[in-house]
C-alpha cells in the first residue's frame, strides 16, 4: 500500500511539473508574440505592458508550482525552476523597457527570452527523459 501511495504521489508531482512547464512555455510564446508586435509598431504600449504583466504572473506562479512539487528528479526540477526564473526576469525587463519606450532594451530582453525558452525546453527534455 505504501508503494502505491508513493507511486501515485510521484505521478501527481510529475504531472504538476509537466503542466506548469507547458504553461510557462505557452506564456513565453505569448510574450514573444506581443513583443514582436510592439517592436513592429502593431501593438500599443499599454496593451503590451498589461500582457507582459499577466505573463509575468503566470511565469511566477508556474515557477513556484514547479519548485514546490515533490520531484523524484530534484536536479532536473531545479533546471526547470531556473529556466522559468530566467523567463520571468526577461519578461520583467521587457515590460520595463516597453514602459520606457526603449526598443533596444526590448530587443535585448527578447534575446534573453529566447535563450531562457531554449533552456526551458532542454530542462524539460532532461526531466522527462527515460531513466535507466
Amino acid at each position: 500500500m505504501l508503494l502505491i501511495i508513493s507511486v501515485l504521489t510521484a505521478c501527481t508531482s510529475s504531472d504538476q511539473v509537466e503542466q506548469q512547464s507547458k504553461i510557462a512555455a505557452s506564456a513565453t510564446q505569448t510574450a514573444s508574440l506581443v513583443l514582436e508586435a510592439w517592436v513592429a509598431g502593431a501593438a500599443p504600449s499599454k496593451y503590451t505592458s498589461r500582457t507582459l504583466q499577466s505573463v509575468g504572473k503566470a511565469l511566477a506562479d508556474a515557477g513556484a508550482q514547479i519548485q514546490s512539487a515533490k520531484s523524484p528528479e530534484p536536479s532536473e526540477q531545479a533546471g526547470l525552476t531556473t529556466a522559468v526564473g530566467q523567463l520571468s526576469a526577461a519578461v520583467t525587463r521587457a515590460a520595463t523597457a516597453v514602459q520606457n519606450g526603449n526598443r533596444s532594451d526590448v530587443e535585448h530582453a527578447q534575446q534573453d527570452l529566447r535563450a531562457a525558452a531554449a533552456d526551458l525546453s532542454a530542462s524539460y527534455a532532461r526531466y522527462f527523459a527515460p531513466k535507466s
Side-chain angles (χ1 to χ4, degrees):
M1 183 69 153
L2 203 53
L3 179 59
I4 293 172
I5 291 172
S6 295
V7 170
L8 289 176
T9 302
C11 290
T12 302
S13 294
S14 183
D15 290 347
Q16 178 181 345
V17 169
E18 182 176 15
Q19 178 185 20
Q20 295 304 315
S21 295
K22 288 179 179 180
I23 288 170
S26 177
T28 300
Q29 288 177 331
T30 299
S32 292
L33 291 172
V34 75
L35 287 170
E36 286 175 25
W38 185 83
V39 167
S45 294
K46 188 174 252 186
Y47 169 80
T48 303
S49 292
R50 286 183 183 160
T51 301
L52 292 173
Q53 287 173 355
S54 295
V55 166
K57 181 173 178 2
L59 288 169
D61 291 346
Q65 290 292 319
I66 290 169
Q67 188 172 17
S68 70
K70 304 288 187 241
S71 173
E73 304 296 334
S75 63
E76 286 85 355
Q77 180 181 8
L80 286 167
T81 301
T82 298
V84 173
Q86 292 169 339
L87 289 167
S88 184
V91 166
T92 298
R93 284 192 305 280
T96 299
V98 167
Q99 289 172 349
N100 294 333
N102 189 324
R103 186 175 307 276
S104 176
D105 285 351
V106 167
E107 290 170 352
H108 285 110
Q110 284 178 296
Q111 291 172 352
D112 293 343
L113 196 63
R114 284 190 288 275
D119 288 347
L120 177 66
S121 180
S123 294
Y124 181 88
R126 281 191 299 276
Y127 187 89
F128 289 101
K131 309 297 185 253
S132 49

